[in-house]
Amino acid sequence: MHMLSLVSPVTASHARCRSPKPRRDSVLVVRMAASSEVGAYEEGQLERPKWAGDTPLSRLVKAIISFKPLYSALKLGARQVLISTAEKTNIPWREMTKEILESDVYKELESVENPSVVYPDYYLNPFHAYDEGNLSWLAAAEAEAATMSMARRAIPYASSLEEANQIMRGNWLQAIEDHHLQYSGNSTIEDIMDVGCSIGVSTIFLADKFPHAGVTGLDLSPYFLAVAQYKEKKGAPRKNTIRWIHANGEDTGLPSKSFDLVSFSAVLHECPERAIIGLVREAFRLLIPGGTIAITDQAPKSKIIQNLSPVLFTLMKSTEPFLDEYYLTDLEGRLTEAGFIHVQTMLTDPRHRTVTATVPH
C-alpha cells in the first residue's frame, strides 16, 4: 500500500534486451476464484458501487465529506472503527504500535531516505485519517496492524489471521504464479519489484513465495521503509536480502528490462488516475519481455464492496481521497494502452481483484 521519484544510484542485478514487440493482443478478462477450496467469489450486478464515481449518491457523500467539521468527525470515526475492529479480532493494534514507536526504528531512516525524492502533490494529501498521510511515524507504526485487520475483514469466515492470510495472500500469489507460468515463455521469476511496498508485508510474502528471487521493495514513504528495514533485520536471515528503495514508482531511475515481476498490492486505490497511468507505464519499462505485472486491490465488481452500508462507505471515502478516480479507471484498458497483453482479472477474495498482464516477447 503506498508507493513510489528519483532513486539513489542503485542498479538492478541485470538488464535484458527486449525483442521486437508483436501486434497487441486483445484484452481477456477472467473473473473467478483462485482457490477451489473457498468457492467462487460473488460479483455484484453493477460495474462499480453506486457510491463511487459521478453518481448522485457519490456526490452526496462528497458533499458531506467536504464539510470540514463533519470531515474531522468522520476521520476520527474511521480511525476508531479500524482500531476496534482489529482488537476485536485479537490484533493488538495499540500494543504493536507502541512497540514500534518505542524501538530503535528511527536509526534506519538515514540509510533508507533518499533526500532527492520529490513528492508528487497527490501524495501530500491526508490518507487513512493521518493528517500527514503516509509521511509520518504513526502511520508507519500502525501499518502492520492495519494490514492484518484488512485481511480479517476480507476473509470474515477465517478462524484466524493465519487462515485469512493463507486464503487472501495465497490466492493472490497463486494468480501471479499461474499467469507467469502460462505467458512468460518459460522464464523463471528471478527479480521482483514490489511497488508501494509500505512496511514490507506484501514484499515478504513475495520473497517467501519465490525464495530464489532477488526482491526489491519500493515506496515513497521513508518512514514506512525504515519500519520495513527494521523488521527485516530482526527476522530470520534470508538467502537473498530484500532491498529497500525510497523512490517514486512513476520514475524509479532503475534500468529498463530489469525485473521479471512488478507487483502492486493495495496501492492503486490511493492514486489519482494520472498516477495509475504513470505507474503502469513505468512497470512496463522495468519488465523484461515476458515479464508479469500483478495488481491486487479493491474489486469494483465485488458484491460485498457494492453492498457496503452507507456508514461504512462514507467512512472509507473520508480517508481515501482518490477512491472515486480508482473506481472510474479502466485498469484493464490502461494496461493495454501501456503495451501489455494477456490482461486478466480475477476475484481472489470476496473484496479484492488481482489483475495480471504480460510484456510482449
Side-chain angles (χ1 to χ4, degrees):
M1 251 162 297
H2 325 290
M3 303 152 308
L4 339 335
S5 281
L6 247 284
V7 64
S8 50
V10 186
T11 57
S13 58
H14 53 274
R16 284 162 273 190
C17 295
R18 188 187 304 278
S19 56
K21 187 169 76 174
R23 184 174 59 83
R24 182 180 301 169
D25 288 2
S26 59
V27 178
L28 172 63
V29 180
V30 179
R31 295 184 178 90
M32 54 185 286
S35 170
S36 58
E37 294 179 9
V38 295
Y41 300 123
E42 197 170 357
E43 288 188 345
Q45 297 180 347
L46 306 172
E47 285 297 313
R48 64 184 65 86
K50 287 183 179 179
W51 49 260
D54 189 26
T55 65
L57 181 57
S58 178
R59 288 194 293 271
L60 175 61
V61 172
K62 191 176 292 186
I64 292 170
I65 293 170
S66 65
F67 183 57
K68 289 198 172 175
L70 195 49
Y71 168 73
S72 298
L74 285 169
K75 190 170 63 172
L76 179 62
R79 180 172 169 74
Q80 292 307 316
V81 166
L82 283 171
I83 295 172
S84 62
T85 300
E87 295 188 336
K88 282 176 185 174
T89 53
N90 300 315
I91 298 167
W93 182 297
R94 293 175 178 88
E95 183 181 326
M96 292 173 68
T97 300
K98 182 180 178 183
E99 183 180 343
I100 291 293
L101 292 176
E102 294 181 357
S103 72
D104 293 330
V105 68
Y106 309 98
K107 296 177 182 178
E108 305 295 335
L109 186 64
E110 185 177 357
S111 65
V112 297
E113 187 170 20
N114 176 8
S116 67
V117 164
V118 177
Y119 296 101
D121 56 354
Y122 76 86
Y123 197 75
L124 302 176
N125 278 271
F127 282 99
H128 304 147
Y130 304 108
D131 290 337
E132 304 87 357
N134 297 328
L135 296 172
S136 75
W137 282 114
L138 181 59
E142 292 188 332
E144 184 174 19
T147 303
M148 290 176 174
S149 184
M150 177 191 70
R152 292 308 305 264
R153 288 196 307 275
I155 315 293
Y157 50 83
S159 60
S160 64
L161 174 63
E162 291 71 24
E163 184 184 352
N165 272 325
Q166 186 178 15
I167 295 169
M168 187 181 84
R169 303 289 185 176
N171 289 355
W172 159 61
L173 292 167
Q174 192 62 52
I176 293 173
E177 185 174 47
D178 289 348
H179 186 101
H180 195 78
L181 283 171
Q182 185 171 358
Y183 297 113
S184 69
N186 298 319
S187 71
T188 57
I189 294 179
E190 298 175 3
D191 292 285
I192 299 171
M193 167 71 81
D194 187 25
V195 181
C197 67
S198 181
I199 62 160
V201 174
S202 55
T203 322
I204 289 169
F205 273 104
L206 287 164
D208 289 344
K209 175 68 174 178
F210 304 101
H212 300 293
V215 180
T216 299
L218 182 144
D219 203 276
L220 254 180
S221 173
Y223 305 96
F224 284 34
L225 291 169
V227 172
Q229 185 165 281
Y230 171 77
K231 293 179 71 65
E232 179 68 5
K233 284 181 177 179
K234 287 184 64 180
R238 296 179 180 278
K239 177 185 176 184
N240 296 315
T241 303
I242 296 174
R243 180 175 58 152
W244 308 104
I245 294 180
H246 179 210
N248 187 334
E250 297 179 68
D251 183 17
T252 64
L254 295 171
S256 300
K257 309 178 189 71
S258 300
F259 295 93
D260 305 283
L261 170 65
V262 174
S263 176
F264 299 84
S265 180
V267 173
L268 299 194
H269 74 275
E270 297 183 4
C271 303
E273 187 173 25
R274 68 182 189 275
I276 293 173
I277 293 169
L279 291 166
V280 166
R281 287 175 176 169
E282 179 70 349
F284 188 89
R285 186 187 69 82
L286 290 172
L287 284 163
I288 66 164
T292 299
I293 186 173
I295 300 164
T296 189
D297 216 311
Q298 295 178 28
K301 287 205 162 199
S302 158
K303 184 175 181 179
I304 289 177
I305 294 271
Q306 291 188 4
N307 291 338
L308 285 177
S309 72
V311 170
L312 283 179
F313 67 64
T314 302
L315 288 175
M316 184 165 72
K317 291 187 76 170
S318 73
T319 66
E320 301 283 5
F322 302 108
L323 203 57
D324 280 334
E325 286 197 52
Y326 168 75
Y327 276 101
L328 287 171
T329 298
D330 175 7
L331 188 53
E332 292 88 354
R334 292 304 188 186
L335 286 165
T336 303
E337 289 170 8
F340 287 98
I341 59 173
H342 305 310
V343 181
Q344 298 186 329
T345 298
M346 62 172 64
L347 290 178
T348 42
D349 69 58
R351 291 172 179 256
H352 299 98
R353 62 179 173 177
T354 297
V355 185
T356 49
T358 304
V359 173
H361 288 279

